[in-house]
Amino acid sequence: MTIDRKLFTLAMAGLLVTSSVHATKLQDSIKVAMPELESLYLHLHQYPELSYQEKATSARLAMEFTKLGFDVTSNFGGYGVVAIYKNGAGPTVMVRADTDGLPITEQTGKVYASKVKTLDANNNSVGVMHGCGHDVHMTTLVGTAQQLLINKDSWQGTLMMVAQPAEEVGGGAKAMLKQGLFTQFPIPDHILGLHVSASVPAGKVAIAPGYALANVDSVDITIKGKGGHGAYPHTTIDPVVLASRTVLALQTISSREVSPLEPNVITVGSIHGGSKHNIIGNEVKLQLTLRSYNPEVRLQQIAAIKRITKGIAMSAGLPNALMPEVFVDETQSIPSTYNNPEQTLRVQASITKVLGSDNVLKSEPVMAGEDFGLYGLTAHQRPITLFWLGAVPPKLYELSLKSGDTLPSLHSSQFAPDYPLAISTGVHAMSQATIDLFKP
């Protein structure tokens, strides 16, 4: 992406920059950049790529950072991009955005709607859409990089921009860290991220210290039994009945075992068993999602699931060889995102400077998951902060309040953010927060 050459030259000469970034100066600078940022957004939105397939997206972002003068490393941890800009001695601030799309056929009716179809990991033909706002995230990342360079006389240190793949499947952060994100590159002193919100109007952000997003685990349970004819159930041990008892019993973990002061969810999202009306099969398969904030609650959930499923099987008289199998898919497990309180209050104050207190809301924890939390859980224990970027068109938001109609959620085929206002707000917020974190 090119930016206004005259503006950029003046900025580099220090004619537009003083010792601090004032809201009006940042606003004017972002206004100049917005046409090209909107163009970048439309390109990314119309050409989304699935997790682990972000080749063209990665190449485009690498090109943007290279043109801005960053030292760029591509194909890191898959199709990840790490862009480094050193601006004298000082702390390292890392800003992260995610890059992958979702297997959704877009139904927004927008002229710029994605029409992409591709093959997924199972060789199925699927539509692809940025239904979780990652196109806004990437555009904001590039816009923030622009502003930090234009205003580089206002900060000193190392700026680390990370475009992370495969967030939707919980694999991208793990892959980048495994390849050596914090060993091959400077260890960040501060780590920032944002995520669009489908419940906050564009032009506003929401932020709060503490837990922001949840632990997420995928659990597969195989309930075994002894099959036979449906007319002679007394000669069988019916796994469908055992599975039904198990589904109901699992709900008591949240309601009767975990403290009511510890939020948590156990959802059985899939149950499959049997093949015909009059056949009692040999097994039933369950698929669960577990959500919590406290890591100890996560372990409590898993232990209780194993105990309850085994107990029900034993009560039915099944031998040890037919005990249930409980598999926790650690490859898809992601930890909760915990906003470091001290850093988050600093970020909140920075954003308030440029957006005004009326546009900075208090966020509440949600049970959705994000692998952003992994960056704060390495041996280095670096502070992280993720804030919510409003994306709902303001008029639509007001109408929903009056009518009570539900707004399209993230991951909806009808999710259509007010992208110009969201991007402008995101660049304002992230730029000021980043600059201020470089200061002592």
Side-chain angles (χ1 to χ4, degrees):
M1 175 181 294
T2 59
I3 59 178
D4 188 287
R5 289 295 108 188
K6 183 177 180 180
L7 176 63
F8 190 82
T9 302
L10 289 172
M12 294 300 101
L15 298 178
L16 290 181
V17 184
T18 60
S19 60
S20 63
V21 178
H22 299 292
T24 53
K25 184 177 295 182
L26 189 61
Q27 183 177 14
D28 291 343
S29 182
I30 292 172
K31 186 176 180 180
V32 171
M34 277 305 296
E36 290 192 54
L37 289 177
E38 290 182 36
S39 177
L40 173 61
Y41 168 84
L42 292 173
H43 172 82
L44 295 170
H45 183 84
Q46 291 179 81
Y47 299 100
E49 295 174 295
L50 293 178
S51 306
Y52 300 120
Q53 299 181 20
E54 311 95 334
K55 182 177 181 179
T57 302
S58 172
R60 177 63 186 265
L61 293 174
M63 180 184 73
E64 301 293 349
F65 289 120
T66 299
K67 287 197 292 186
L68 287 171
F70 282 76
D71 181 9
V72 177
T73 301
S74 299
N75 302 325
F76 193 86
Y79 288 116
V81 177
V82 182
I84 302 291
Y85 191 92
K86 295 183 178 180
N87 186 32
T92 297
V93 179
M94 170 180 150
V95 185
R96 171 269 202 182
D98 33 18
T99 65
D100 49 334
L102 289 160
I104 299 172
T105 299
E106 183 169 350
Q107 296 178 324
T108 61
K110 301 292 185 181
V111 295
Y112 55 83
S114 168
K115 297 179 175 60
V116 171
K117 289 188 178 296
T118 192
L119 297 178
D120 65 11
N122 297 314
N123 212 35
N124 298 313
S125 178
V126 295
V128 189
M129 175 191 178
H130 273 301
C132 201
H134 294 187
D135 43 4
V136 174
H137 302 175
M138 290 183 280
T139 307
T140 301
L141 188 74
V142 173
T144 298
Q146 288 181 352
Q147 297 308 314
L148 268 289
L149 265 62
I150 288 174
N151 294 291
K152 70 175 185 177
D153 286 353
S154 296
W155 59 276
Q156 285 187 315
T158 299
L159 178 61
M160 181 176 178
M161 310 302 274
V162 174
Q164 178 211 301
E167 183 277 327
E168 294 293 353
V169 294
K174 293 175 184 176
M176 296 192 83
L177 289 168
K178 183 178 180 179
Q179 190 166 335
L181 183 65
F182 291 169
T183 56
Q184 296 189 37
F185 303 98
I187 300 170
D189 296 285
H190 306 281
I191 302 173
L192 294 177
L194 59 75
H195 201 297
V196 299
S197 170
S199 59
V200 174
K204 299 180 183 291
V205 304
I207 185 172
Y211 287 113
L213 295 121
N215 298 307
V216 179
D217 286 285
S218 296
V219 180
D220 294 286
I221 303 176
T222 301
I223 306 292
K224 300 179 182 181
K226 294 182 179 180
H229 199 296
Y232 311 106
H234 58 289
T235 65
T236 72
I237 299 179
D238 192 342
V240 172
V241 173
L242 297 182
S244 301
R245 290 175 57 191
T246 301
V247 170
L248 294 176
L250 293 180
Q251 306 311 307
T252 65
I253 298 172
S254 296
S255 66
R256 291 295 179 272
E257 295 198 31
V258 178
S259 167
L261 302 179
E262 294 282 3
N264 72 105
V265 173
I266 296 178
T267 294
V268 180
S270 173
I271 179 168
H272 289 279
S275 59
K276 196 174 184 296
H277 302 75
N278 61 349
I279 297 175
I280 294 174
N282 289 315
E283 66 178 30
V284 174
K285 293 185 178 294
L286 308 178
Q287 293 179 310
L288 288 69
T289 185
L290 313 186
R291 310 284 168 134
S292 62
Y293 298 122
N294 188 334
E296 293 182 2
V297 171
R298 171 187 178 265
L299 297 177
Q300 185 180 3
Q301 287 177 320
I302 294 170
I305 288 170
K306 292 179 178 179
R307 187 193 74 244
I308 287 173
T309 53
K310 182 177 181 180
I312 290 174
M314 291 175 65
S315 72
L318 282 169
N320 287 334
L322 294 180
M323 287 295 106
E325 296 176 358
V326 178
F327 173 68
V328 181
D329 190 350
E330 297 289 351
T331 65
Q332 294 191 32
S333 296
I334 57 174
S336 56
T337 295
Y338 184 81
N339 282 340
N340 175 270
E342 181 181 357
Q343 176 176 285
T344 301
L345 290 175
R346 288 184 63 186
V347 171
Q348 181 179 348
S350 296
I351 296 174
T352 301
K353 283 197 297 188
V354 289
L355 299 185
S357 57
D358 290 344
N359 293 318
V360 181
L361 311 177
K362 181 182 183 297
S363 64
E364 298 295 336
V366 299
M367 280 294 175
E370 239 275 11
D371 64 4
F372 180 74
L374 284 163
Y375 297 114
L377 294 176
T378 68
H380 310 97
Q381 295 289 297
R382 295 312 196 204
I384 67 171
T385 298
L386 182 142
F387 62 88
W388 295 97
L389 176 64
V392 183
K395 290 184 178 179
L396 180 61
Y397 180 81
E398 292 297 328
L399 286 174
S400 72
L401 292 180
K402 294 177 182 178
S403 66
D405 291 341
T406 302
L407 293 164
S409 66
L410 298 177
H411 291 215
S412 165
S413 63
Q414 297 181 349
F415 176 65
D418 183 341
Y419 67 87
L421 184 53
I423 292 167
S424 175
T425 304
V427 175
H428 272 92
M430 189 63 83
S431 297
Q432 188 66 59
T434 304
I435 288 171
D436 286 347
L437 285 177
F438 278 110
K439 300 173 182 176

